[in-house]
């Protein structure tokens, strides 16, 4: 054994505690980097899965000018484009929603939709039904609420037949709950109501009393 190696071994034996602590700190550092990288990779994958579960791996067409509008003519033209599988017209607003027994408002994202929306945005219908063509044509004051919002307003999941009051412009109007859905999966559901507003869906013709919309959700093949 060389003199340098003997001297190194002697130093390590004489400073065992320092040696152990040094090795331990290096090990902890390496393991920490591996864990952080693993968590980051898992996080990106989980968020991507959540967005895909909402059907947001397609395209969104929207108007940039307040004076512009989207209507059935645009839907027909875009549907005819090669590669486009489904088109769903949507309006998106933020509003305050109340149950019939409380004056406390809950912030919600209101999606004005039609019967084609489930073909583009994924929903799991837990109770009741989704909005149909009759609701669109008659401007019916009906709504679909997310499970998280149902629990926040009524402390239970199945609230089909109940009514909620929704702030539409400057007036408060009553909407009948005809369905309860679950939007997204674990991560999305845990964030709803805590870190961002829950979702509520109404016929787009009933919320803004107009046949126009401001976005088109496209599902491409």
């Amino acid at each position: 054994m060389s003199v340098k190696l003997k001297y190194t071994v002697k130093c390590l034996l004489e400073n065992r505690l320092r040696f152990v602590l040094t090795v331990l700190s290096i090990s902890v550092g390496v393991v920490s980097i591996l864990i952080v990288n693993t968590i980051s990779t898992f996080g990106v994958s989980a968020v991507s899965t959540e967005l895909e579960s909402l059907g947001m791996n397609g395209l969104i067409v929207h108007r940039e000018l307040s004076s512009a509008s989207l209507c059935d003519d645009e839907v027909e033209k875009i549907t005819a484009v090669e590669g486009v599988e489904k088109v769903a017209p949507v309006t998106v607003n933020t509003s305050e929603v109340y149950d019939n027994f409380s004056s406390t408002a809950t912030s919600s994202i209101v999606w004005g939709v039609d019967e084609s929306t489930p073909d583009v945005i994924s929903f799991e219908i837990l109770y009741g039904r989704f909005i149909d063509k009759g609701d669109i044509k008659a401007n019916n004051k009906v709504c679909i609420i997310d499970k998280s919002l149902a629990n926040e307003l009524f402390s239970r999941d199945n609230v089909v037949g109940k009514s909620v009051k929704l702030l539409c412009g400057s007036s408060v109007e009553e909407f009948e709950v005809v369905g309860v859905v679950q939007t997204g999966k674990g991560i999305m559901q845990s964030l709803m109501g805590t870190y961002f507003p829950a979702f509520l869906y109404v016929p787009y013709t009933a919320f803004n009393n107009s046949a126009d919309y401001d976005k088109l959700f496209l599902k491409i093949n």
Side-chain angles (χ1 to χ4, degrees):
M1 186 181 292
S2 66
V3 176
K4 289 184 178 180
L5 183 57
K6 288 182 179 179
Y7 179 74
T8 301
V9 173
K10 181 181 179 182
C11 289
L12 292 176
L13 292 175
E14 291 177 351
N15 300 276
R16 293 178 183 176
L17 180 60
R18 181 182 300 174
F19 171 69
V20 171
L21 291 176
T22 301
V23 172
L24 183 61
S25 63
I26 293 174
S27 301
V28 170
V30 172
V31 171
S32 298
I33 292 174
L34 292 174
I35 290 175
V36 169
N37 287 337
T38 301
I39 291 174
S40 299
T41 302
F42 173 76
V44 170
S45 176
V47 171
S48 297
T49 300
E50 288 294 330
L51 292 177
E52 289 176 1
S53 75
L54 290 175
M56 292 183 178
N57 53 337
L59 300 174
I60 298 177
V61 176
H62 67 95
R63 59 182 184 182
E64 292 188 347
L65 301 176
S66 59
S67 59
S69 64
L70 294 170
C71 56
D72 291 341
D73 289 341
E74 281 71 32
V75 173
E76 291 178 4
K77 292 175 183 177
I78 294 176
T79 302
V81 174
E82 182 178 358
V84 176
E85 185 176 335
K86 297 285 184 180
V87 179
V90 173
T91 62
V92 183
N93 298 275
T94 56
S95 184
E96 303 296 332
V97 58
Y98 311 79
D99 62 32
N100 278 335
F101 306 101
S102 174
S103 58
T104 303
T106 300
S107 181
S108 176
I109 296 178
V110 180
W111 297 69
V113 298
D114 73 356
E115 74 284 353
S116 65
T117 302
D119 295 330
V120 180
I121 302 178
S122 298
F123 299 100
E124 180 184 353
I125 299 180
L126 303 176
Y127 307 99
R129 64 173 179 84
F130 198 73
I131 291 165
D132 57 31
K133 288 184 178 180
D135 297 323
I136 302 298
K137 291 181 179 180
N139 299 353
N140 289 337
K141 300 294 182 181
V142 296
C143 68
I144 314 293
I145 68 175
D146 188 83
K147 175 183 174 181
S148 61
L149 183 57
N151 278 286
E152 185 173 350
L153 294 176
F154 301 98
S155 300
R156 59 192 179 96
D157 294 351
N158 189 355
V159 293
V160 174
K162 297 287 187 180
S163 295
V164 296
K165 294 179 180 177
L166 187 63
L167 182 62
C168 301
S170 58
S171 63
V172 176
E173 299 187 30
E174 189 171 298
F175 285 73
E176 179 188 355
V177 179
V178 295
V180 178
V181 298
Q182 180 166 304
T183 309
K185 299 179 182 177
I187 296 176
M188 184 66 69
Q189 283 296 310
S190 65
L191 294 177
M192 275 191 174
T194 303
Y195 295 100
F196 62 87
F199 291 169
L200 184 147
Y201 308 89
V202 301
Y204 71 87
T205 52
F207 186 74
N208 56 12
N209 294 318
S210 172
D212 294 340
Y213 16 86
D214 50 26
K215 291 178 179 60
L216 298 176
F217 282 10
L218 278 60
K219 183 177 181 180
I220 55 177
N221 56 31

